[in-house]
Amino acid sequence: MRLFLALVPPPGLRERLGALADAAHARCGGRRMPDESLHLTLAFLGEVGDDLAVELAEEVRSLAIPAGRWTLDAWGHFRRPGIVWVGGRRPDAALQRLHERLWDRLEARKLPGRPSRFIPHVTLLRRAERLEAGDLPHLDLEWPYNQVTLIHSINDGQAARYVPLARSLAT
């Protein structure tokens, strides 16, 4: 099964991110991510066997994640895959520490894949036709977080569906 660890936005923030996705879609085209799919990926694990997935779910349920706040105040894009996203203007030290902590635990389990660079972002569009963000709405959102979710990405030939498997302890 294909797994990743993520922060999932609270419902009110998810709605606001959905409105930004609508604005970006109207300006840039492409495929808009459904509101229920909006998240911040902390660690993409790829294909994992069922036994390891069960172990990872147990480990996630035992994690205590320090509470934090992430400021989303910038539009961005990844040109080659045509992704339009929102994120922060400045690096967020707390998110970076969380990312590193999770990958330290994953590598202790011999899971490869730690990226060379971590760019915290929420993907709003895929395969965008235009990547200019100049006339997109100003944003200044606060994302309070205190939980990490282990998510199963199911791709059955349609758009991917994300199913939460486990959540860390709330602090």
Side-chain angles (χ1 to χ4, degrees):
M1 66 179 52
R2 188 175 176 162
L3 302 179
F4 62 94
L5 292 168
L7 296 180
V8 175
L13 178 59
R14 181 172 271 170
E15 288 175 21
R16 293 176 75 190
L17 290 168
L20 292 171
D22 287 340
H25 187 254
R27 172 71 176 102
C28 303
R31 184 168 58 89
R32 183 196 183 283
M33 299 304 295
D35 288 3
E36 61 274 9
S37 296
L38 300 173
H39 66 276
L40 162 62
T41 300
L42 292 165
F44 179 74
L45 309 176
E47 291 296 326
V48 171
D50 291 346
D51 291 343
L52 182 54
V54 169
E55 291 174 22
L56 288 169
E58 289 173 12
E59 185 167 353
V60 166
R61 285 186 197 99
S62 71
L63 288 175
I65 303 302
R69 296 184 79 75
W70 181 36
T71 300
L72 294 99
D73 58 2
W75 290 92
H77 67 273
F78 299 127
R79 182 166 302 283
R80 192 174 50 145
I83 290 177
V84 174
W85 52 264
V86 292
R89 291 185 197 281
R90 292 172 298 286
D92 186 288
L95 277 178
Q96 185 66 43
R97 283 190 301 274
L98 178 56
H99 168 78
E100 294 296 325
R101 177 180 166 212
L102 291 171
W103 270 110
D104 289 346
R105 293 181 77 112
L106 293 167
E107 287 179 338
R109 290 186 164 275
K110 307 294 188 231
L111 283 166
R114 184 188 300 236
S116 59
R117 223 170 79 171
F118 176 54
I119 302 172
H121 67 280
V122 178
T123 298
L124 301 179
L125 303 176
R126 294 187 184 279
R127 292 189 220 113
E129 297 153 15
R130 279 178 273 159
L131 297 174
E132 303 86 23
D135 58 351
L136 289 171
H138 171 77
L139 60 126
D140 187 15
L141 302 174
E142 290 292 320
W143 181 337
Y145 61 87
N146 66 353
Q147 265 187 320
V148 169
T149 304
L150 177 65
I151 298 175
H152 178 196
S153 175
I154 301 170
N155 193 338
D156 54 10
Q158 305 293 322
R161 289 181 295 119
Y162 300 144
V163 178
L165 297 181
R167 288 187 176 84
S168 66
L169 301 169
T171 55

